[in-house]
Amino acid sequence: MSVSPASVSPAVGSAPTQADLLDFVRRTAADAGLIASLPLDPEGRTWVRLEGPGGSEAWLIGWPPGTGTGWHDHAESVGAFLTASGELKENSLAARLPTDGWKTLELTEDVDRERRLPTGRGRAFGRHHVHEVLNESRTDHAISVHAYYPPLPRIRRYGRTGQVLRLEQVERPEDWQ
């Protein structure tokens, strides 16, 4: 299912920037009718694909209590996301990781970052941003809006034990659409 929220477009002929994507997710999250239309599942995440600005890929995602993404990145895409309802937590790494050719990395002690993103708060991020997003509530769903440009070529999933990060899986668009 594809939904077209209020359009926000970058300049003609230019790729959307991180700021454009953040503006788009803010405007989309403010559409109460769209947010309320997302079917929520008590067990697993739900999502609806949206039309993002300037050829970007966008998603409306529902997060049941206690769910999360696990550690991952969005490869060559820049992105933005914003909590439209509830609260999400983002754990991220403040380190530039090699893009390819590795299976295991030992992280330094000072790379971990944590952000709380209550309703109305979001963030933009650059290429190869490694993070996990969580709904830590025991009782409430969260809903968020995400946008990526270029459309996601792949998602790399990681396992983490202490300061060791392991590449576990590479997903392609056909795996999640």
Side-chain angles (χ1 to χ4, degrees), residues 35-36 38 40 60-63 82-86 88 141-145:
I35 301 309
L38 180 67
L40 300 177
L60 179 62
I61 301 176
W63 305 76
L82 185 131
T83 306
S85 173
L88 294 172
H141 266 80
I143 298 175
S144 57
V145 180

Side-chain angles (χ1 to χ4, degrees), residues 6-10 16-30 53 79-82 122-124 145 147:
S7 65
V8 176
S9 302
T17 65
Q18 291 176 40
D20 294 329
L21 297 175
L22 188 57
D23 185 51
F24 169 81
V25 298
R26 277 194 183 114
R27 290 176 189 252
T28 303
F81 71 101
L82 185 131
R123 71 177 312 260
V145 180

Side-chain angles (χ1 to χ4, degrees), residues 2-176:
S2 183
V3 178
S4 182
S7 65
V8 176
S9 302
V12 175
S14 67
T17 65
Q18 291 176 40
D20 294 329
L21 297 175
L22 188 57
D23 185 51
F24 169 81
V25 298
R26 277 194 183 114
R27 290 176 189 252
T28 303
D31 183 339
L34 177 64
I35 301 309
S37 75
L38 180 67
L40 300 177
D41 183 315
E43 304 282 322
R45 287 189 298 151
T46 54
W47 54 88
V48 172
R49 187 164 183 161
L50 307 171
E51 292 183 28
S56 64
E57 179 173 344
W59 298 89
L60 179 62
I61 301 176
W63 305 76
T67 59
T69 61
W71 288 95
H72 68 283
D73 72 14
H74 303 102
E76 296 81 25
S77 298
V78 298
F81 71 101
L82 185 131
T83 306
S85 173
E87 179 175 281
L88 294 172
K89 175 181 152 185
E90 180 197 37
N91 294 319
S92 64
L93 300 178
R96 179 85 173 165
L97 302 182
T99 56
D100 287 303
W102 64 276
K103 295 283 186 196
T104 304
L105 287 175
E106 187 160 344
L107 303 170
T108 61
E109 294 290 328
D110 61 347
V111 298
D112 289 297
R113 301 294 181 266
E114 177 182 306
R115 280 188 180 83
R116 295 276 173 192
L117 300 166
T119 299
R121 294 255 341 255
R123 71 177 312 260
F125 54 85
R127 291 168 169 74
H128 309 291
H129 175 71
V130 177
H131 68 165
E132 67 174 348
V133 180
L134 308 159
N135 177 5
E136 294 186 321
S137 172
R138 295 176 159 222
T139 57
D140 298 323
H141 266 80
I143 298 175
S144 57
V145 180
H146 302 246
Y148 311 99
Y149 187 84
L152 296 172
R154 61 186 170 153
I155 293 177
R156 292 180 291 211
R157 299 216 174 262
Y158 304 98
R160 183 165 179 192
T161 305
Q163 294 305 110
V164 176
L165 189 70
R166 290 175 319 286
L167 177 63
E168 293 186 342
Q169 181 179 8
V170 177
E171 296 176 2
R172 308 241 178 250
E174 57 271 17
D175 298 326
W176 63 80

